[in-house]
PDB file of all heavy atoms in Angstrom:
ATOM      1  N   ASP R 221     -53.863  72.240 149.892  1.00 74.00           N
ATOM      2  CA  ASP R 221     -54.897  73.210 149.536  1.00 74.00           C
ATOM      3  C   ASP R 221     -54.227  74.412 148.868  1.00 74.00           C
ATOM      4  O   ASP R 221     -54.063  75.476 149.448  1.00 74.00           O
ATOM      5  CB  ASP R 221     -55.703  73.630 150.771  1.00 74.00           C
ATOM      6  CG  ASP R 221     -54.826  74.155 151.890  1.00 74.00           C
ATOM      7  OD1 ASP R 221     -53.638  73.805 151.927  1.00 74.00           O
ATOM      8  OD2 ASP R 221     -55.340  74.930 152.721  1.00 74.00           O
ATOM      9  N   VAL R 222     -53.839  74.241 147.606  1.00 87.00           N
ATOM     10  CA  VAL R 222     -53.151  75.274 146.851  1.00 87.00           C
ATOM     11  C   VAL R 222     -54.090  76.458 146.632  1.00 87.00           C
ATOM     12  O   VAL R 222     -55.215  76.293 146.166  1.00 87.00           O
ATOM     13  CB  VAL R 222     -52.674  74.727 145.484  1.00 87.00           C
ATOM     14  CG1 VAL R 222     -52.028  75.832 144.655  1.00 87.00           C
ATOM     15  CG2 VAL R 222     -51.705  73.579 145.696  1.00 87.00           C
ATOM     16  N   GLY R 223     -53.624  77.663 146.966  1.00 90.00           N
ATOM     17  CA  GLY R 223     -54.437  78.855 146.774  1.00 90.00           C
ATOM     18  C   GLY R 223     -54.286  79.437 145.382  1.00 90.00           C
ATOM     19  O   GLY R 223     -55.262  79.836 144.742  1.00 90.00           O
ATOM     20  N   VAL R 224     -53.026  79.506 144.907  1.00 93.00           N
ATOM     21  CA  VAL R 224     -52.736  80.066 143.587  1.00 93.00           C
ATOM     22  C   VAL R 224     -51.896  79.072 142.806  1.00 93.00           C
ATOM     23  O   VAL R 224     -50.830  78.659 143.256  1.00 93.00           O
ATOM     24  CB  VAL R 224     -51.979  81.402 143.686  1.00 93.00           C
ATOM     25  CG1 VAL R 224     -51.694  81.958 142.286  1.00 93.00           C
ATOM     26  CG2 VAL R 224     -52.774  82.417 144.505  1.00 93.00           C
ATOM     27  N   LEU R 225     -52.381  78.687 141.647  1.00 95.00           N
ATOM     28  CA  LEU R 225     -51.639  77.805 140.749  1.00 95.00           C
ATOM     29  C   LEU R 225     -51.054  78.672 139.637  1.00 95.00           C
ATOM     30  O   LEU R 225     -51.779  79.257 138.836  1.00 95.00           O
ATOM     31  CB  LEU R 225     -52.562  76.734 140.164  1.00 95.00           C
ATOM     32  CG  LEU R 225     -51.902  75.712 139.227  1.00 95.00           C
ATOM     33  CD1 LEU R 225     -50.869  74.884 139.975  1.00 95.00           C
ATOM     34  CD2 LEU R 225     -52.965  74.809 138.597  1.00 95.00           C
ATOM     35  N   HIS R 226     -49.730  78.777 139.598  1.00 96.00           N
ATOM     36  CA  HIS R 226     -49.029  79.640 138.639  1.00 96.00           C
ATOM     37  C   HIS R 226     -48.473  78.756 137.529  1.00 96.00           C
ATOM     38  O   HIS R 226     -47.621  77.911 137.772  1.00 96.00           O
ATOM     39  CB  HIS R 226     -47.905  80.389 139.375  1.00 96.00           C
ATOM     40  CG  HIS R 226     -47.202  81.401 138.542  1.00 96.00           C
ATOM     41  ND1 HIS R 226     -46.270  82.269 139.077  1.00 96.00           N
ATOM     42  CD2 HIS R 226     -47.260  81.692 137.221  1.00 96.00           C
ATOM     43  CE1 HIS R 226     -45.799  83.057 138.113  1.00 96.00           C
ATOM     44  NE2 HIS R 226     -46.380  82.709 136.984  1.00 96.00           N
ATOM     45  N   LEU R 227     -48.963  78.952 136.307  1.00 97.00           N
ATOM     46  CA  LEU R 227     -48.580  78.124 135.169  1.00 97.00           C
ATOM     47  C   LEU R 227     -47.735  78.911 134.173  1.00 97.00           C
ATOM     48  O   LEU R 227     -48.098  80.027 133.787  1.00 97.00           O
ATOM     49  CB  LEU R 227     -49.827  77.597 134.454  1.00 97.00           C
ATOM     50  CG  LEU R 227     -50.815  76.772 135.281  1.00 97.00           C
ATOM     51  CD1 LEU R 227     -52.034  76.425 134.434  1.00 97.00           C
ATOM     52  CD2 LEU R 227     -50.163  75.512 135.819  1.00 97.00           C
ATOM     53  N   GLU R 228     -46.623  78.301 133.725  1.00 96.00           N
ATOM     54  CA  GLU R 228     -45.793  78.943 132.704  1.00 96.00           C
ATOM     55  C   GLU R 228     -46.243  78.560 131.290  1.00 96.00           C
ATOM     56  O   GLU R 228     -46.300  79.399 130.395  1.00 96.00           O
ATOM     57  CB  GLU R 228     -44.323  78.581 132.910  1.00 96.00           C
ATOM     58  CG  GLU R 228     -43.399  79.308 131.962  1.00 96.00           C
ATOM     59  CD  GLU R 228     -41.942  79.207 132.363  1.00 96.00           C
ATOM     60  OE1 GLU R 228     -41.541  78.195 132.983  1.00 96.00           O
ATOM     61  OE2 GLU R 228     -41.198  80.144 132.062  1.00 96.00           O
ATOM     62  N   LEU R 229     -46.533  77.312 131.042  1.00 97.00           N
ATOM     63  CA  LEU R 229     -47.093  76.743 129.819  1.00 97.00           C
ATOM     64  C   LEU R 229     -46.141  76.675 128.619  1.00 97.00           C
ATOM     65  O   LEU R 229     -46.175  75.705 127.871  1.00 97.00           O
ATOM     66  CB  LEU R 229     -48.374  77.478 129.392  1.00 97.00           C
ATOM     67  CG  LEU R 229     -49.566  77.376 130.350  1.00 97.00           C
ATOM     68  CD1 LEU R 229     -50.781  78.077 129.750  1.00 97.00           C
ATOM     69  CD2 LEU R 229     -49.893  75.936 130.681  1.00 97.00           C
ATOM     70  N   THR R 230     -45.304  77.668 128.392  1.00 96.00           N
ATOM     71  CA  THR R 230     -44.450  77.643 127.203  1.00 96.00           C
ATOM     72  C   THR R 230     -43.204  78.489 127.404  1.00 96.00           C
ATOM     73  O   THR R 230     -43.190  79.420 128.218  1.00 96.00           O
ATOM     74  CB  THR R 230     -45.225  78.152 125.967  1.00 96.00           C
ATOM     75  OG1 THR R 230     -44.402  78.024 124.802  1.00 96.00           O
ATOM     76  CG2 THR R 230     -45.639  79.610 126.129  1.00 96.00           C
ATOM     77  N   SER R 231     -42.161  78.151 126.653  1.00 94.00           N
ATOM     78  CA  SER R 231     -40.948  78.982 126.636  1.00 94.00           C
ATOM     79  C   SER R 231     -40.892  79.831 125.372  1.00 94.00           C
ATOM     80  O   SER R 231     -39.895  80.502 125.113  1.00 94.00           O
ATOM     81  CB  SER R 231     -39.696  78.103 126.733  1.00 94.00           C
ATOM     82  OG  SER R 231     -39.615  77.214 125.622  1.00 94.00           O
ATOM     83  N   ARG R 232     -41.949  79.802 124.582  1.00 95.00           N
ATOM     84  CA  ARG R 232     -41.987  80.562 123.327  1.00 95.00           C
ATOM     85  C   ARG R 232     -42.483  81.993 123.577  1.00 95.00           C
ATOM     86  O   ARG R 232     -43.330  82.226 124.440  1.00 95.00           O
ATOM     87  CB  ARG R 232     -42.912  79.885 122.312  1.00 95.00           C
ATOM     88  CG  ARG R 232     -42.556  78.440 122.020  1.00 95.00           C
ATOM     89  CD  ARG R 232     -43.560  77.790 121.080  1.00 95.00           C
ATOM     90  NE  ARG R 232     -43.388  76.353 121.044  1.00 95.00           N
ATOM     91  CZ  ARG R 232     -42.535  75.721 120.254  1.00 95.00           C
ATOM     92  NH1 ARG R 232     -41.787  76.424 119.415  1.00 95.00           N
ATOM     93  NH2 ARG R 232     -42.422  74.404 120.284  1.00 95.00           N
ATOM     94  N   CYS R 233     -41.972  82.929 122.804  1.00 95.00           N
ATOM     95  CA  CYS R 233     -42.430  84.311 122.904  1.00 95.00           C
ATOM     96  C   CYS R 233     -42.178  85.019 121.584  1.00 95.00           C
ATOM     97  O   CYS R 233     -41.176  84.762 120.904  1.00 95.00           O
ATOM     98  CB  CYS R 233     -41.714  85.047 124.040  1.00 95.00           C
ATOM     99  SG  CYS R 233     -42.370  86.709 124.348  1.00 95.00           S
ATOM    100  N   ASN R 234     -43.085  85.887 121.220  1.00 95.00           N
ATOM    101  CA  ASN R 234     -42.925  86.677 119.998  1.00 95.00           C
ATOM    102  C   ASN R 234     -41.986  87.856 120.191  1.00 95.00           C
ATOM    103  O   ASN R 234     -41.458  88.415 119.223  1.00 95.00           O
ATOM    104  CB  ASN R 234     -44.285  87.205 119.542  1.00 95.00           C
ATOM    105  CG  ASN R 234     -44.939  88.100 120.595  1.00 95.00           C
ATOM    106  OD1 ASN R 234     -45.118  87.671 121.733  1.00 95.00           O
ATOM    107  ND2 ASN R 234     -45.292  89.318 120.229  1.00 95.00           N
ATOM    108  N   ALA R 235     -41.748  88.253 121.442  1.00 94.00           N
ATOM    109  CA  ALA R 235     -40.959  89.452 121.723  1.00 94.00           C
ATOM    110  C   ALA R 235     -39.516  89.105 122.092  1.00 94.00           C
ATOM    111  O   ALA R 235     -39.182  87.954 122.382  1.00 94.00           O
ATOM    112  CB  ALA R 235     -41.605  90.257 122.847  1.00 94.00           C
ATOM    113  N   LEU R 236     -38.680  90.133 122.086  1.00 91.00           N
ATOM    114  CA  LEU R 236     -37.290  90.013 122.520  1.00 91.00           C
ATOM    115  C   LEU R 236     -36.972  91.165 123.473  1.00 91.00           C
ATOM    116  O   LEU R 236     -36.136  92.029 123.190  1.00 91.00           O
ATOM    117  CB  LEU R 236     -36.336  90.057 121.323  1.00 91.00           C
ATOM    118  CG  LEU R 236     -36.094  88.759 120.560  1.00 91.00           C
ATOM    119  CD1 LEU R 236     -35.210  89.019 119.345  1.00 91.00           C
ATOM    120  CD2 LEU R 236     -35.442  87.697 121.449  1.00 91.00           C
ATOM    121  N   CYS R 237     -37.640  91.202 124.588  1.00 91.00           N
ATOM    122  CA  CYS R 237     -37.397  92.264 125.562  1.00 91.00           C
ATOM    123  C   CYS R 237     -35.959  92.156 126.066  1.00 91.00           C
ATOM    124  O   CYS R 237     -35.526  91.079 126.487  1.00 91.00           O
ATOM    125  CB  CYS R 237     -38.377  92.159 126.718  1.00 91.00           C
ATOM    126  SG  CYS R 237     -40.106  92.236 126.197  1.00 91.00           S
ATOM    127  N   PRO R 238     -35.198  93.240 126.031  1.00 86.00           N
ATOM    128  CA  PRO R 238     -33.755  93.166 126.286  1.00 86.00           C
ATOM    129  C   PRO R 238     -33.355  92.696 127.676  1.00 86.00           C
ATOM    130  O   PRO R 238     -32.261  92.158 127.847  1.00 86.00           O
ATOM    131  CB  PRO R 238     -33.272  94.603 126.027  1.00 86.00           C
ATOM    132  CG  PRO R 238     -34.490  95.444 126.123  1.00 86.00           C
ATOM    133  CD  PRO R 238     -35.616  94.596 125.641  1.00 86.00           C
ATOM    134  N   LEU R 239     -34.201  92.869 128.675  1.00 83.00           N
ATOM    135  CA  LEU R 239     -33.842  92.428 130.016  1.00 83.00           C
ATOM    136  C   LEU R 239     -34.659  91.226 130.467  1.00 83.00           C
ATOM    137  O   LEU R 239     -34.764  90.950 131.658  1.00 83.00           O
ATOM    138  CB  LEU R 239     -33.988  93.581 131.010  1.00 83.00           C
ATOM    139  CG  LEU R 239     -33.013  94.731 130.767  1.00 83.00           C
ATOM    140  CD1 LEU R 239     -33.237  95.851 131.770  1.00 83.00           C
ATOM    141  CD2 LEU R 239     -31.571  94.250 130.823  1.00 83.00           C
ATOM    142  N   CYS R 240     -35.208  90.492 129.515  1.00 86.00           N
ATOM    143  CA  CYS R 240     -35.936  89.266 129.825  1.00 86.00           C
ATOM    144  C   CYS R 240     -34.947  88.114 129.992  1.00 86.00           C
ATOM    145  O   CYS R 240     -33.868  88.108 129.399  1.00 86.00           O
ATOM    146  CB  CYS R 240     -36.924  88.948 128.712  1.00 86.00           C
ATOM    147  SG  CYS R 240     -37.864  87.412 128.971  1.00 86.00           S
ATOM    148  N   ALA R 241     -35.348  87.110 130.761  1.00 83.00           N
ATOM    149  CA  ALA R 241     -34.473  85.963 131.004  1.00 83.00           C
ATOM    150  C   ALA R 241     -34.191  85.166 129.738  1.00 83.00           C
ATOM    151  O   ALA R 241     -33.204  84.422 129.676  1.00 83.00           O
ATOM    152  CB  ALA R 241     -35.109  85.045 132.054  1.00 83.00           C
ATOM    153  N   ARG R 242     -35.030  85.306 128.703  1.00 85.00           N
ATOM    154  CA  ARG R 242     -34.870  84.478 127.502  1.00 85.00           C
ATOM    155  C   ARG R 242     -33.933  85.101 126.477  1.00 85.00           C
ATOM    156  O   ARG R 242     -33.612  84.486 125.472  1.00 85.00           O
ATOM    157  CB  ARG R 242     -36.233  84.198 126.873  1.00 85.00           C
ATOM    158  CG  ARG R 242     -36.824  85.361 126.125  1.00 85.00           C
ATOM    159  CD  ARG R 242     -38.275  85.094 125.707  1.00 85.00           C
ATOM    160  NE  ARG R 242     -38.505  83.760 125.223  1.00 85.00           N
ATOM    161  CZ  ARG R 242     -38.320  83.346 123.980  1.00 85.00           C
ATOM    162  NH1 ARG R 242     -37.840  84.205 123.098  1.00 85.00           N
ATOM    163  NH2 ARG R 242     -38.586  82.118 123.612  1.00 85.00           N
ATOM    164  N   THR R 243     -33.523  86.337 126.678  1.00 83.00           N
ATOM    165  CA  THR R 243     -32.691  86.998 125.692  1.00 83.00           C
ATOM    166  C   THR R 243     -31.210  86.938 126.062  1.00 83.00           C
ATOM    167  O   THR R 243     -30.824  86.277 127.021  1.00 83.00           O
ATOM    168  CB  THR R 243     -33.144  88.451 125.460  1.00 83.00           C
ATOM    169  OG1 THR R 243     -33.286  89.100 126.727  1.00 83.00           O
ATOM    170  CG2 THR R 243     -34.466  88.495 124.745  1.00 83.00           C
ATOM    171  N   THR R 244     -30.381  87.659 125.354  1.00 67.00           N
ATOM    172  CA  THR R 244     -28.955  87.349 125.283  1.00 67.00           C
ATOM    173  C   THR R 244     -28.059  87.837 126.406  1.00 67.00           C
ATOM    174  O   THR R 244     -26.860  87.877 126.245  1.00 67.00           O
ATOM    175  CB  THR R 244     -28.386  87.887 123.961  1.00 67.00           C
ATOM    176  OG1 THR R 244     -28.892  89.208 123.741  1.00 67.00           O
ATOM    177  CG2 THR R 244     -28.747  86.995 122.805  1.00 67.00           C
ATOM    178  N   GLY R 245     -28.585  88.226 127.528  1.00 53.00           N
ATOM    179  CA  GLY R 245     -27.711  88.569 128.639  1.00 53.00           C
ATOM    180  C   GLY R 245     -27.877  89.991 129.111  1.00 53.00           C
ATOM    181  O   GLY R 245     -28.603  90.788 128.538  1.00 53.00           O
ATOM    182  N   LEU R 246     -27.179  90.331 130.167  1.00 50.00           N
ATOM    183  CA  LEU R 246     -27.365  91.617 130.809  1.00 50.00           C
ATOM    184  C   LEU R 246     -26.363  92.676 130.360  1.00 50.00           C
ATOM    185  O   LEU R 246     -26.657  93.850 130.359  1.00 50.00           O
ATOM    186  CB  LEU R 246     -27.284  91.444 132.331  1.00 50.00           C
ATOM    187  CG  LEU R 246     -28.353  90.523 132.937  1.00 50.00           C
ATOM    188  CD1 LEU R 246     -28.141  90.406 134.435  1.00 50.00           C
ATOM    189  CD2 LEU R 246     -29.741  91.060 132.662  1.00 50.00           C
ATOM    190  N   ASP R 247     -25.159  92.283 130.006  1.00 52.00           N
ATOM    191  CA  ASP R 247     -24.152  93.233 129.559  1.00 52.00           C
ATOM    192  C   ASP R 247     -24.069  93.196 128.038  1.00 52.00           C
ATOM    193  O   ASP R 247     -23.294  92.443 127.456  1.00 52.00           O
ATOM    194  CB  ASP R 247     -22.783  92.900 130.164  1.00 52.00           C
ATOM    195  CG  ASP R 247     -22.707  93.277 131.630  1.00 52.00           C
ATOM    196  OD1 ASP R 247     -23.268  94.322 131.982  1.00 52.00           O
ATOM    197  OD2 ASP R 247     -22.110  92.530 132.400  1.00 52.00           O
ATOM    198  N   TYR R 248     -24.880  93.996 127.389  1.00 52.00           N
ATOM    199  CA  TYR R 248     -25.009  93.896 125.945  1.00 52.00           C
ATOM    200  C   TYR R 248     -23.851  94.545 125.198  1.00 52.00           C
ATOM    201  O   TYR R 248     -23.309  93.991 124.267  1.00 52.00           O
ATOM    202  CB  TYR R 248     -26.331  94.540 125.492  1.00 52.00           C
ATOM    203  CG  TYR R 248     -27.505  93.769 125.980  1.00 52.00           C
ATOM    204  CD1 TYR R 248     -28.269  94.230 127.041  1.00 52.00           C
ATOM    205  CD2 TYR R 248     -27.826  92.543 125.422  1.00 52.00           C
ATOM    206  CE1 TYR R 248     -29.335  93.501 127.504  1.00 52.00           C
ATOM    207  CE2 TYR R 248     -28.900  91.812 125.880  1.00 52.00           C
ATOM    208  CZ  TYR R 248     -29.651  92.291 126.923  1.00 52.00           C
ATOM    209  OH  TYR R 248     -30.700  91.569 127.385  1.00 52.00           O
ATOM    210  N   ASP R 249     -23.481  95.760 125.601  1.00 58.00           N
ATOM    211  CA  ASP R 249     -22.418  96.469 124.905  1.00 58.00           C
ATOM    212  C   ASP R 249     -22.671  96.473 123.397  1.00 58.00           C
ATOM    213  O   ASP R 249     -21.810  96.114 122.593  1.00 58.00           O
ATOM    214  CB  ASP R 249     -21.052  95.850 125.214  1.00 58.00           C
ATOM    215  CG  ASP R 249     -20.685  96.001 126.685  1.00 58.00           C
ATOM    216  OD1 ASP R 249     -21.073  97.026 127.271  1.00 58.00           O
ATOM    217  OD2 ASP R 249     -20.036  95.104 127.228  1.00 58.00           O
ATOM    218  N   SER R 250     -23.891  96.837 123.032  1.00 56.00           N
ATOM    219  CA  SER R 250     -24.290  96.981 121.630  1.00 56.00           C
ATOM    220  C   SER R 250     -24.318  95.653 120.872  1.00 56.00           C
ATOM    221  O   SER R 250     -24.157  95.615 119.657  1.00 56.00           O
ATOM    222  CB  SER R 250     -23.371  97.972 120.908  1.00 56.00           C
ATOM    223  OG  SER R 250     -23.456  99.244 121.512  1.00 56.00           O
ATOM    224  N   GLN R 251     -24.544  94.556 121.561  1.00 75.00           N
ATOM    225  CA  GLN R 251     -24.690  93.269 120.885  1.00 75.00           C
ATOM    226  C   GLN R 251     -26.056  93.173 120.218  1.00 75.00           C
ATOM    227  O   GLN R 251     -27.009  93.837 120.608  1.00 75.00           O
ATOM    228  CB  GLN R 251     -24.532  92.120 121.882  1.00 75.00           C
ATOM    229  CG  GLN R 251     -23.135  91.996 122.470  1.00 75.00           C
ATOM    230  CD  GLN R 251     -23.047  90.813 123.409  1.00 75.00           C
ATOM    231  OE1 GLN R 251     -23.849  89.891 123.336  1.00 75.00           O
ATOM    232  NE2 GLN R 251     -22.067  90.836 124.291  1.00 75.00           N
ATOM    233  N   LEU R 252     -26.134  92.317 119.211  1.00 79.00           N
ATOM    234  CA  LEU R 252     -27.404  92.058 118.549  1.00 79.00           C
ATOM    235  C   LEU R 252     -28.294  91.245 119.479  1.00 79.00           C
ATOM    236  O   LEU R 252     -27.901  90.202 119.998  1.00 79.00           O
ATOM    237  CB  LEU R 252     -27.179  91.292 117.240  1.00 79.00           C
ATOM    238  CG  LEU R 252     -28.441  90.978 116.430  1.00 79.00           C
ATOM    239  CD1 LEU R 252     -29.079  92.259 115.914  1.00 79.00           C
ATOM    240  CD2 LEU R 252     -28.103  90.040 115.271  1.00 79.00           C
ATOM    241  N   LEU R 253     -29.498  91.731 119.698  1.00 81.00           N
ATOM    242  CA  LEU R 253     -30.442  91.075 120.592  1.00 81.00           C
ATOM    243  C   LEU R 253     -30.960  89.797 119.941  1.00 81.00           C
ATOM    244  O   LEU R 253     -31.365  89.790 118.782  1.00 81.00           O
ATOM    245  CB  LEU R 253     -31.602  92.026 120.867  1.00 81.00           C
ATOM    246  CG  LEU R 253     -32.459  91.779 122.109  1.00 81.00           C
ATOM    247  CD1 LEU R 253     -31.636  91.913 123.369  1.00 81.00           C
ATOM    248  CD2 LEU R 253     -33.618  92.766 122.124  1.00 81.00           C
ATOM    249  N   LYS R 254     -30.960  88.689 120.681  1.00 82.00           N
ATOM    250  CA  LYS R 254     -31.461  87.428 120.158  1.00 82.00           C
ATOM    251  C   LYS R 254     -31.858  86.512 121.312  1.00 82.00           C
ATOM    252  O   LYS R 254     -31.533  86.766 122.475  1.00 82.00           O
ATOM    253  CB  LYS R 254     -30.407  86.726 119.308  1.00 82.00           C
ATOM    254  CG  LYS R 254     -29.156  86.322 120.073  1.00 82.00           C
ATOM    255  CD  LYS R 254     -28.174  85.585 119.168  1.00 82.00           C
ATOM    256  CE  LYS R 254     -26.949  85.132 119.972  1.00 82.00           C
ATOM    257  NZ  LYS R 254     -26.000  84.359 119.125  1.00 82.00           N
TER     258      LYS R 254
END
């Protein structure tokens, strides 16, 4: 009897938020975001 069904649906995103799991890491040191 699932109360909440949490769906991700896609790994695509239009944004590049710097601390998101999909971007280039946590220690940037002025690296190009990708």
Side-chain angles (χ1 to χ4, degrees):
D221 55 336
V222 177
V224 180
L225 182 64
H226 186 173
L227 302 176
E228 185 167 30
L229 296 184
T230 184
S231 61
R232 304 176 193 274
C233 187
N234 60 304
L236 277 176
C237 302
L239 295 179
C240 179
R242 75 189 319 275
T243 50
T244 44
L246 298 178
D247 285 322
Y248 293 105
D249 295 327
S250 299
Q251 294 182 21
L252 181 66
L253 200 63
K254 63 178 183 178

